[in-house]
Amino acid sequence: MEITCYNITCKAVTRTCEPRLTLKEVLRASGGVMGESHLGMTEKIVLLKGKICALKRFRKVILKKNVVGRKIEKFARVSRDCKQLVPITAYLYSKRIKFVVCDYYPMGSLADLLAGARDLGQTALEWKQRLKIIVCIAHGIAFIHSQDPPKDQKDIQLNVHGNVKASNVMINIDFTACLSDYGFMQLAERTEFSDTWQKNPPPLDDQYAYCEMLSQKNDVYNFGIIMLDILGRKHGMKKEEMGNGEFEFFVQGKERKQVLNVLNIALKCINNDLEARPTMEQIVIYLGDVLRVKNYSN
């Protein structure tokens, strides 16, 4: 069985005429599970020719094949046009198996890096690395939010990510970041799974809560949670506790002011008043101001 693949070097994302990946090749690939989520399982696969990919295997897809294919192709086009989004290279929809193939990032996710430092004693990220990651995530979400909804397809939301969390932020070796799982909330059903990296999801039978997840305001909220996590602050802390001088990374002078400014942005993002939350366009501007912070005396 041939897998639907994309030629992402062309101006438009199209299916290739020459098969580049087969189901047999994927099933024969060596690999292992990297993580699980409410949507399914992520595996690292090493193809016979040595190419390494990430395979996102969905647990429960209820959409028809042509609908899934149309949506994935739309998400793939948007992902190809933004360097802060993980590219989608192929997908398979069969009766028993449904998965998407994406680029693999050997540095792992932001969740992996933060856990490695906190739980395994690995070297903690420096502030410059953390700020670079924050800026990359912001640009990725802002690019998604800038997309115009298709006029002829009301069943797809191109301008919402829907699943912004630390485990969906992939890190490059230069500590730039790319968002994965863009649009996947619109492909598969959520199933019961314990995800300790992000706030608790709404009840699976609460359709209103699920719709709220597919909103730009919720993307902004979850970006705020990520910023707090990067700053080593937990959601639910009192503001004075969040703003104390102790961090898991060393900062002073200019960098300390940057940290406090980012904290203020994060607090705006998690405001309980939806309308009071800034847009991603505004957040990108705020972060630009953070990058331009000059040295100052304590």
Side-chain angles (χ1 to χ4, degrees):
M1 182 184 295
E2 181 183 326
I3 298 175
T4 302
C5 295
Y6 296 112
N7 180 359
I8 56 175
T9 59
C10 297
K11 183 175 181 181
V13 178
T14 56
R15 297 182 183 182
T16 58
C17 297
E18 181 180 352
R20 294 187 302 177
L21 201 59
T22 64
L23 177 60
K24 185 177 181 180
E25 184 179 2
V26 172
L27 294 180
R28 284 185 173 182
S30 60
V33 176
M34 293 193 296
E36 294 184 72
S37 72
H38 297 284
L39 299 181
M41 183 181 299
T42 302
E43 303 169 35
K44 171 186 175 182
I45 60 171
V46 183
L47 302 176
L48 296 177
K49 295 181 181 180
K51 179 176 175 59
I52 303 176
C53 299
L55 185 146
K56 307 271 185 175
R57 191 187 300 269
F58 298 121
R59 285 196 180 93
K60 190 173 182 181
V61 176
I62 60 172
L63 300 174
K64 294 181 179 179
K65 182 177 180 178
N66 64 323
V67 177
V68 170
R70 175 167 48 82
K71 287 189 175 186
I72 290 178
E73 290 177 14
K74 291 286 187 181
F75 296 135
R77 287 191 180 98
V78 176
S79 299
R80 180 214 62 208
D81 291 335
C82 179
K83 64 182 180 181
Q84 286 87 25
L85 298 179
V86 172
I88 298 172
T89 57
Y91 72 91
L92 172 75
Y93 188 112
S94 67
K95 185 174 181 180
R96 298 181 60 185
I97 305 173
K98 298 169 181 65
F99 61 70
V100 171
V101 179
C102 304
D103 283 1
Y104 171 73
Y105 294 77
M107 288 280 286
S109 71
L110 173 61
D112 296 329
L113 290 185
L114 294 176
R118 292 166 184 168
D119 304 332
L120 304 177
Q122 298 173 2
T123 304
L125 294 173
E126 298 177 355
W127 169 241
K128 288 182 179 179
Q129 296 166 338
R130 294 171 194 254
L131 182 56
K132 181 184 286 190
I133 291 169
I134 288 171
V135 171
C136 286
I137 300 170
H139 279 283
I141 302 174
F143 184 82
I144 292 172
H145 286 193
S146 70
Q147 299 304 303
D148 294 324
K151 295 180 180 179
D152 57 337
Q153 298 175 22
K154 296 181 180 180
D155 63 334
I156 184 172
Q157 291 179 259
L158 292 180
N159 60 354
V160 176
H161 184 283
N163 201 16
V164 175
K165 57 182 180 178
S167 56
N168 283 341
V169 177
M170 311 312 296
I171 308 299
N172 292 301
I173 57 174
D174 62 352
F175 291 98
T176 54
C178 297
L179 269 173
S180 69
D181 286 33
Y182 162 51
F184 289 2
M185 285 287 292
Q186 299 178 54
L187 302 176
E189 279 194 3
R190 293 165 54 83
T191 57
E192 290 288 355
F193 178 78
S194 176
D195 186 351
T196 58
W197 277 105
Q198 198 83 353
K199 66 184 184 69
N200 292 330
L204 296 177
D205 59 350
D206 189 338
Q207 187 62 33
Y208 176 77
Y210 174 77
C211 291
E212 282 297 301
M213 293 188 69
L214 289 175
S215 71
Q216 293 188 350
K217 292 296 183 181
N218 197 70
D219 282 351
V220 169
Y221 179 92
N222 284 331
F223 178 54
I225 297 293
I226 287 180
M227 283 193 284
L228 291 180
D229 197 7
I230 290 175
L231 295 175
R233 297 298 184 259
K234 295 180 181 179
H235 183 224
M237 276 184 172
K238 294 180 180 179
K239 190 171 182 179
E240 54 270 23
E241 292 176 323
M242 289 188 179
N244 68 27
E246 297 180 5
F247 295 93
E248 60 187 16
F249 48 90
F250 178 74
V251 284
Q252 62 180 355
K254 168 186 173 180
E255 291 187 341
R256 177 172 170 76
K257 186 173 183 181
Q258 288 180 324
V259 169
L260 296 176
N261 286 348
V262 169
L263 176 59
N264 286 331
I265 297 171
L267 294 176
K268 291 178 186 293
C269 290
I270 64 170
N271 195 311
N272 289 330
D273 182 356
L274 293 177
E275 298 307 316
R277 294 174 194 169
T279 65
M280 286 308 305
E281 184 178 7
Q282 291 172 322
I283 292 169
V284 168
I285 294 173
Y286 296 157
L287 289 173
D289 293 337
V290 171
L291 293 171
R292 288 187 289 272
V293 167
K294 298 180 179 179
N295 284 312
Y296 78 114
S297 300
N298 286 315

